[in-house]
Amino acid sequence: MDTYDILLYGSYLLILIGAIVAVVMPLINSLDDPKSLLKTIVGIVGIVVLFFIAYSISSNEVLPKFEADPFNLTPQGSQVVGGMLITTYVLSLVAIGSILVTEVTKAIK
């Protein structure tokens, strides 16, 4: 085993530990304040509902060049990708809109 391989596996381990800590620590801290946990759950449920709305309006059409190798895209996969794209667009527009509203209200005050 080369030194690069060992360091690469070590970095994978550190990324995994960091991801687990990033998810678990806020959950532990939110047990003291259940209202913050409720806000988080409402936000997650809202994003899931937005995804299912976007999934239901996205198309499942697949072009012939994407049905073959190396993509092997199915109509179901195409619809999932379309739903994710629409969700990303909507969330981006909401973020940009909230930034604009915040800046305008700061300028008015």
Side-chain angles (χ1 to χ4, degrees):
M1 210 180 224
D2 197 12
T3 305
Y4 294 115
D5 292 336
I6 294 170
L7 293 175
L8 189 61
Y9 290 130
S11 66
Y12 290 158
L13 178 67
L14 289 175
I15 289 171
L16 180 67
I17 290 171
I20 291 171
V21 168
V23 170
V24 170
M25 289 305 292
L27 289 175
I28 291 172
N29 289 336
S30 67
L31 293 177
D32 295 337
D33 186 18
K35 288 183 181 179
S36 67
L37 186 60
L38 181 65
K39 290 178 185 177
T40 303
I41 290 172
V42 167
I44 291 172
V45 167
I47 291 173
V48 169
V49 167
L50 176 65
F51 170 73
F52 281 116
I53 292 170
Y55 175 80
S56 66
I57 64 173
S58 64
S59 172
N60 62 357
E61 180 181 345
V62 180
L63 295 176
K65 68 180 181 179
F66 295 120
E67 288 180 337
D69 283 335
F71 301 110
N72 295 328
L73 190 62
T74 62
Q76 179 74 18
S78 175
Q79 195 168 11
V80 168
V81 169
M84 294 240 184
L85 283 172
I86 293 171
T87 303
T88 303
Y89 298 152
V90 169
L91 290 175
S92 297
L93 289 174
V94 167
I96 291 170
S98 65
I99 291 170
L100 289 174
V101 167
T102 301
E103 292 300 320
V104 167
T105 56
K106 278 186 185 178
I108 291 173
K109 288 182 181 181

